[in-house]
Amino acid sequence: MSRQITFELQAECPDTRARAGILHTAHGDIPTPIFMPVGTQGTVKGLTQSQLADELRAPIILGNTYHLFLRPGPELIKQFGGLHGFMNWPNAILTDSGGYQVFSLSELRRISEEGVTFQSHLNGDAHKFTPASTVDVQLSLGSDIMMVLDECPPYPVSHESARASMERTVRWAGAAFAHYRERIKQVPGRHALFPIVQGSMFPDLRQECARRLLDLDADGYAVGGLSVGEPRPLSMDMVEATEPILPRDRPRYAMGVGMPQELPEYVARGIDMMDCVLPSRNARNGWIFTSEGKVVIKHARYRDDPAPLDPSCACYTCRTHSRAYLRHLFQAGEILFSTLATLHNLKRYLDIMGEIRQSILLGQFPAYLRRVREQNALVR
Ligand SMILES: [Zn+2]
């Protein structure tokens, strides 16, 4: 089977595991390292597709299979040419398998060797996800990058149950790939499938999982089960333990991370792709990430502040509006606040990734990383 996406390595940091590259997909080239805005329900909350594509220039966004499966359903989305056609999004789309949401949102779930049965959090209807069915759903969505069904254990968990869950994840990945290799011959377009390294916070399990997934010869590999409530250094340790085992010529995706200051840390550990709801969710709650630290917009000190959110940001919000106006919109509960704040926070994340990428290409990433660490020590 030929590659569905290809990864072009452009530069490697001599001191860390960081690298810069280009991910070639059927819906455009993605410069890496990259941050992917989260578009849970076929929309990045508060933004139009034009704001995402033209203003933010996001080359890839993430969609959630669990939510789209329940509503409006993969058959309907397929009728509209997949998620690209349905939401009229020109660039690449990555979808998760839905497993994470089944484990975190739905009630009365039951795991068996075959898959997971669960009740919809919307209306209580019973559904089943199997390794094969989640590939089929994601093919109906037309994702450029699909994820295998995995089991994400809660934190903390015993070594024994983490092992059982990791081994199931490996078996499910095998089943998903067997089905995928058949289906991909019949469907148009190019759709990659990434397996997911699990193993909770145990380096030995993480390494064993990564080694066993290598047999799948996937187009890319994800590290899952992070950001489940563990201390942040532990999350970094897990990536550090896993990454050297993953093939250097394929993209690596750390799922669901992280805070702005963590982005270069993951990149330094060999990660190319990240996603997180933080910039968009926090934006709606009035928590703004800037190059000078956070701005909590409701604070009285911004009441008559004429400055933009971030003087060194070039986003529409910062070019156009004062903190005083944004604080007013937030206090008044106006919809526009969510849009303007989300636009800025996502721009901040994309800018950070752009800076990281540029520094790797110029051979200056170690200095960049040092600067970020010093700034954070000052903020804390
Ligand atoms: Zn801005």
Side-chain angles (χ1 to χ4, degrees):
M1 198 182 77
S2 62
R3 297 259 164 252
Q4 302 289 300
I5 57 168
T6 52
F7 183 56
E8 180 188 337
L9 201 52
Q10 292 178 302
E12 294 180 274
C13 175
D15 296 352
T16 71
R17 303 289 291 169
R19 65 261 191 86
I22 299 176
L23 207 51
H24 300 281
T25 78
H27 289 93
D29 291 345
I30 302 165
T32 66
I34 189 71
F35 178 80
M36 305 180 283
V38 178
T40 303
Q41 310 261 15
T43 162
V44 173
K45 288 188 202 307
L47 297 189
T48 64
Q49 269 60 308
S50 159
Q51 286 168 323
L52 265 177
D54 306 329
E55 168 81 18
L56 290 174
R57 304 198 169 278
I60 180 168
I61 59 169
L62 187 142
N64 284 121
T65 295
Y66 172 85
H67 291 285
L68 297 168
F69 168 82
L70 291 179
R71 183 178 58 192
E75 297 79 17
L76 184 128
I77 292 176
K78 193 178 176 185
Q79 280 173 36
F80 283 81
L83 198 47
H84 286 98
F86 188 51
M87 64 182 283
N88 199 5
W89 172 247
N91 301 336
I93 295 178
L94 178 147
T95 48
D96 60 8
S97 69
Y100 183 81
Q101 272 81 21
V102 166
F103 290 104
S104 58
L105 285 181
S106 71
E107 289 175 6
L108 295 174
R109 55 184 184 271
R110 201 168 47 79
I111 306 168
S112 69
E113 191 51 33
E114 237 179 292
V116 53
T117 332
F118 60 96
Q119 283 195 324
S120 158
H121 75 290
L122 296 175
N123 59 13
D125 284 358
H127 297 282
K128 185 172 198 174
F129 277 170
T130 69
S133 81
T134 50
V135 167
D136 289 336
V137 172
Q138 293 177 82
L139 284 173
S140 293
L141 299 178
S143 320
D144 298 283
I145 302 177
M146 317 187 288
M147 292 290 141
V148 297
L149 184 66
D150 62 334
E151 191 187 330
C152 179
Y155 174 81
V157 72
S158 72
H159 190 276
E160 191 190 357
S161 64
R163 166 168 286 284
S165 149
M166 178 276 276
E167 293 192 340
R168 178 175 287 130
T169 290
V170 171
R171 288 194 299 273
W172 280 0
F177 266 81
H179 183 72
Y180 165 69
R181 294 213 157 92
E182 287 309 308
R183 284 295 322 273
I184 202 71
K185 295 175 196 159
Q186 309 147 5
V187 295
R190 289 189 284 136
H191 314 276
L193 179 64
F194 285 14
I196 304 174
V197 177
Q198 289 287 357
S200 188
M201 301 305 149
F202 302 104
D204 63 320
L205 296 182
R206 290 271 172 188
Q207 287 167 348
E208 183 182 333
C209 188
R211 262 191 296 272
R212 289 168 66 177
L213 294 175
L214 289 184
D215 292 343
L216 298 172
D217 189 26
D219 286 345
Y221 287 82
V223 182
L226 305 174
S227 292
V228 289
E230 78 281 10
R232 306 316 298 149
L234 206 49
S235 165
M236 301 283 172
D237 291 349
M238 291 308 109
V239 173
E240 229 170 275
T242 310
E243 182 273 338
I245 296 168
L246 301 176
R248 194 76 184 149
D249 61 349
R250 315 281 159 82
R252 295 79 167 273
Y253 163 32
M255 305 177 79
V257 296
M259 287 289 281
Q261 68 272 19
E262 292 169 350
L263 304 179
E265 298 289 349
Y266 282 107
V267 172
R269 288 161 178 80
I271 294 298
D272 309 293
M273 308 161 70
M274 286 174 254
D275 79 285
C276 191
V277 292
L278 267 184
S280 38
R281 181 184 290 163
N282 283 16
R284 300 194 298 279
N285 295 326
W287 180 288
I288 309 298
F289 297 110
T290 81
S291 59
E292 296 164 345
K294 66 171 192 288
V295 166
V296 179
I297 200 68
K298 71 174 179 204
H299 283 172
R301 75 177 106 141
Y302 303 123
R303 200 183 62 86
D304 57 356
D305 190 340
L309 286 177
D310 184 343
S312 48
C313 177
C315 84
Y316 171 83
T317 306
C318 292
R319 293 198 313 271
T320 318
H321 296 299
S322 63
R323 291 172 176 172
Y325 178 63
L326 291 162
R327 179 175 185 273
H328 157 70
L329 292 180
F330 180 74
Q331 296 295 77
E334 283 294 329
I335 298 171
L336 182 59
F337 176 79
S338 289
T339 297
L340 294 172
T342 305
L343 201 54
H344 166 79
N345 268 2
L346 285 177
K347 172 78 169 142
R348 176 75 196 128
Y349 265 62
L350 292 166
D351 277 356
I352 291 172
M353 298 310 269
E355 287 167 12
I356 293 173
R357 178 177 152 79
Q358 212 44 41
S359 73
I360 299 169
L361 290 172
L362 296 172
Q364 296 163 358
F365 181 68
Y368 178 89
L369 187 61
R370 216 164 30 243
R371 219 163 40 242
V372 171
R373 285 175 178 167
E374 281 163 12
Q375 276 166 7
N376 283 318
L378 289 178
V379 172
R380 279 177 196 145

